[in-house]
Amino acid sequence: MMTLMKSRLKTFLGGIHPAEDGKALTLDKQKTTLPLPKTVYLVMSQHIGAPAKPIVKKGDVVKKGQLVGDAQGFISAHVHASVSGKVIDVAPWPHPVTGMKCPAVIIENSGEEVWAEDVNVASDTDLLSSEEIRRRIHTAGIVGLGGATFPTHVKLTPPKDKSIDTVVMNGAECEPYLTCDYRLMLDKPHEIIEGLKLMMRCIGCKKAHIGIEENKRDVYAIFRDIVSKDPDIKVDLMEVKYPQGAEHQLIKALLNREFKPTQLPLEVGAIVANVGTAFAVYEAVKFHRPLIERIVTVTGNGVENPQNFLVRLGTPVRQLLEEARLTADVNKIIFGGPMMGIAQGSIDTAVTIKGTGGILVLRDAQRWESHACIRCGRCVDSCPYGLNPSELSIVCEAKEFDQALDNNVMECKECGCCSYVCPAKRPIVHLIKFAKSEIAKRKMKG
């Protein structure tokens, strides 16, 4: 019976599922608003594409929601003040993911919580044109909140020779430990659906699929009920498996369409949006609210009080950890989940950005000794992109970059499934990242 039920779930080939996914730590934790930070540090690179350009200077007084970073070029996104207060500096600040310094606007919070003019104003969206919907999304600085941080107005501007017939909404939240999307889907299902419909109108698309993993049956029931009278929106239950929420796997599972790892979903007539992005789109179009806050899951056995916090962008990570009661014997802090997150060397300068969905804190993270590949093939079985991670790790380690290219190293999405299953504990993803970096350097040199 169980096998029969499982066979009806939407899924894809490859992937993994940890026996213990850690979600129970915060699954039942309702959203808690973090106290306002005394100072916010707004880095100008919170998205894929060109960094925004600061348009305020030291000493300026700004209001909540005011534009402080202007998008530069088409693939870029605006940055807005997440608090009211005084700009105390415009200076380089370490990026929480790359570690590289980038321009930042630093604001001392006045606590006044005064909105800027023309934002946080409700409007009727029924008669909006597609151009106006896209303009409001651009103005609000919306980016993909599933972690990719691709500017949403760009995604909703497909080339004229590409026809999009389906919007796929990602409600999988397949990354272990994270529950920020789950809590948002419980709290704001109607708003998420409205955001989805606005995106459909924006690109003239008539159909949508919403993918939700089987471990969120309560959310699945809520969404099915909301769209029960709308035949153009379908809600699908998917197998619990990582990386179920990745674009290629989601589209294969829900639409049975396939495209190359180096291609975008628009090649098969689809775009993908995270549920958090849909909610942000609703806020931007309906209320002219810029993206200045989001839910962040702070979890792991290194905090005594795991929570789902509603956090202003630019908040120091240390404040979140103190609120979650950081323990004394922590030996690893990861920005994001355990599969695709970035381990932090220090939290002294780390701040939240638009793509921060979770912070994982561990006090017993094991340090593995890596060994030579034993050719067991487990990494090949788990790779959702059909690559040979074993061979890739060997040629990358040997710095045979031409062979790495021959083995399609650029098609790797660095999901981490191969490293997770490797019994020799080889740092496969790190080796692949290293090779990609060296290939990029070689290409720049010509």
Side-chain angles (χ1 to χ4, degrees):
M1 184 65 176
M2 185 63 71
T3 302
L4 179 62
M5 290 176 59
K6 204 174 183 65
S7 67
R8 292 174 179 170
L9 300 173
K10 304 285 186 178
T11 192
F12 62 94
L13 289 176
I16 56 102
H17 179 62
E20 173 53 56
D21 65 10
K23 288 184 182 288
L25 291 171
T26 54
L27 203 62
D28 296 326
K29 298 293 183 69
Q30 295 185 11
K31 177 187 68 183
T32 299
T33 301
L34 191 79
L36 291 177
K38 295 179 179 177
T39 306
V40 294
Y41 304 78
L42 298 166
V43 295
M44 295 292 104
S45 184
Q46 301 193 37
H47 49 268
I48 287 178
K53 181 181 179 181
I55 58 170
V56 292
K57 62 183 184 302
K58 183 177 179 179
D60 284 354
V61 174
V62 297
K63 296 179 180 178
K64 183 170 71 169
Q66 180 177 330
L67 184 68
V68 296
D70 188 38
Q72 298 297 293
F74 182 53
I75 303 180
S76 185
H78 295 312
V79 178
H80 302 79
S82 56
V83 297
S84 302
K86 182 178 181 180
V87 177
I88 57 174
D89 208 351
V90 178
W93 192 263
H95 193 280
V97 175
T98 67
M100 298 177 66
K101 286 192 174 183
C102 64
V105 173
I106 304 170
I107 304 172
E108 185 178 59
N109 185 7
S110 67
E112 295 177 341
E113 288 287 278
V114 180
W115 281 98
E117 290 76 17
D118 301 326
V119 302
N120 196 38
V121 179
S123 65
D124 186 353
T125 62
D126 290 344
L127 300 178
L128 291 180
S129 66
S130 60
E131 289 77 14
E132 177 60 16
I133 293 172
R134 188 179 296 109
R135 189 193 67 78
R136 291 188 186 188
I137 292 170
H138 183 206
T139 300
I142 309 301
V143 303
L145 297 183
T149 66
F150 192 78
T152 304
H153 70 279
V154 180
K155 184 174 285 189
L156 296 176
T157 314
K160 292 181 179 178
D161 62 338
K162 301 296 182 186
S163 177
I164 307 299
D165 60 30
T166 308
V167 175
V168 174
M169 197 163 74
N170 176 17
E173 196 167 49
C174 59
E175 180 82 35
Y177 281 94
L178 303 190
T179 59
C180 52
D181 286 351
Y182 171 70
R183 295 309 313 184
L184 182 65
M185 287 190 283
L186 280 178
D187 292 347
K188 305 288 184 182
H190 291 278
E191 292 85 347
I192 290 170
I193 294 294
E194 287 305 309
L196 170 64
K197 290 181 177 179
L198 287 166
M199 286 190 282
M200 293 168 67
R201 281 174 53 194
C202 184
I203 57 173
C205 179
K206 301 297 183 185
K207 294 183 179 179
H209 282 250
I210 304 171
I212 297 172
E213 283 194 339
E214 189 191 16
N215 57 3
K216 306 175 190 66
R217 281 187 173 270
D218 50 353
V219 166
Y220 170 72
I222 292 170
F223 275 71
R224 280 204 64 175
D225 182 60
I226 293 174
V227 303
S228 60
K229 295 181 180 178
D230 192 334
D232 293 327
I233 301 178
K234 187 178 180 183
V235 186
D236 292 301
L237 203 58
M238 302 189 297
E239 184 179 342
V240 179
K241 187 163 64 170
Y242 175 88
Q244 190 74 261
E247 289 183 334
H248 289 75
Q249 286 65 46
L250 202 56
I251 290 175
K252 171 61 179 175
L254 299 181
L255 307 181
N256 196 27
R257 300 177 188 175
E258 297 182 68
F259 53 108
K260 294 179 181 178
T262 51
Q263 292 180 320
L264 297 172
L266 56 82
E267 296 293 339
V268 290
I271 67 165
V272 178
N274 174 268
V275 292
T277 310
F279 177 68
V281 165
Y282 168 79
E283 294 265 285
V285 178
K286 179 71 176 177
F287 298 102
H288 298 271
R289 286 178 189 153
L291 182 57
I292 63 169
E293 62 184 7
R294 65 160 299 155
I295 301 177
V296 179
T297 302
V298 181
T299 187
N301 60 12
V303 291
E304 296 177 356
N305 184 34
Q307 290 287 339
N308 287 298
F309 291 114
L310 181 63
V311 182
R312 295 289 171 87
L313 300 181
T315 297
V317 166
R318 183 171 290 283
Q319 182 179 343
L320 278 83
L321 298 181
E322 288 174 353
E323 199 71 21
R325 299 202 292 272
L326 183 70
T327 62
D329 50 354
V330 166
N331 66 350
K332 195 166 193 176
I333 297 177
I334 300 172
F335 240 59
M339 299 304 296
M340 291 197 74
I342 304 294
Q344 300 291 298
S346 169
I347 60 169
D348 291 338
T349 59
V351 296
T352 59
I353 57 177
K354 294 176 181 178
T356 307
I359 300 171
L360 176 59
V361 189
L362 301 172
R363 67 167 185 263
D364 56 0
Q366 299 183 34
R367 299 180 186 276
W368 304 99
E369 184 179 350
S370 162
H371 300 283
C373 175
I374 60 173
R375 305 282 190 178
C376 66
R378 294 184 190 178
C379 59
V380 178
D381 291 339
S382 70
C383 180
Y385 298 95
L387 301 176
N388 186 337
S390 166
E391 184 67 19
L392 274 173
S393 75
I394 291 170
V395 297
C396 292
E397 190 171 34
K399 301 182 181 179
E400 299 288 350
F401 301 129
D402 287 331
Q403 288 191 45
L405 286 169
D406 290 342
N407 281 278
N408 303 311
V409 67
M410 305 309 287
E411 294 188 1
C412 174
K413 298 293 184 181
E414 304 167 12
C415 66
C417 290
C418 52
S419 297
Y420 178 81
V421 300
C422 179
K425 303 304 177 188
R426 290 180 59 73
I428 301 174
V429 174
H430 287 78
L431 290 168
I432 289 175
K433 285 183 176 180
F434 165 69
K436 285 182 176 180
S437 172
E438 292 301 309
I439 291 169
K441 289 178 185 176
R442 194 171 69 176
K443 190 174 181 180
M444 288 181 67
K445 289 179 180 177

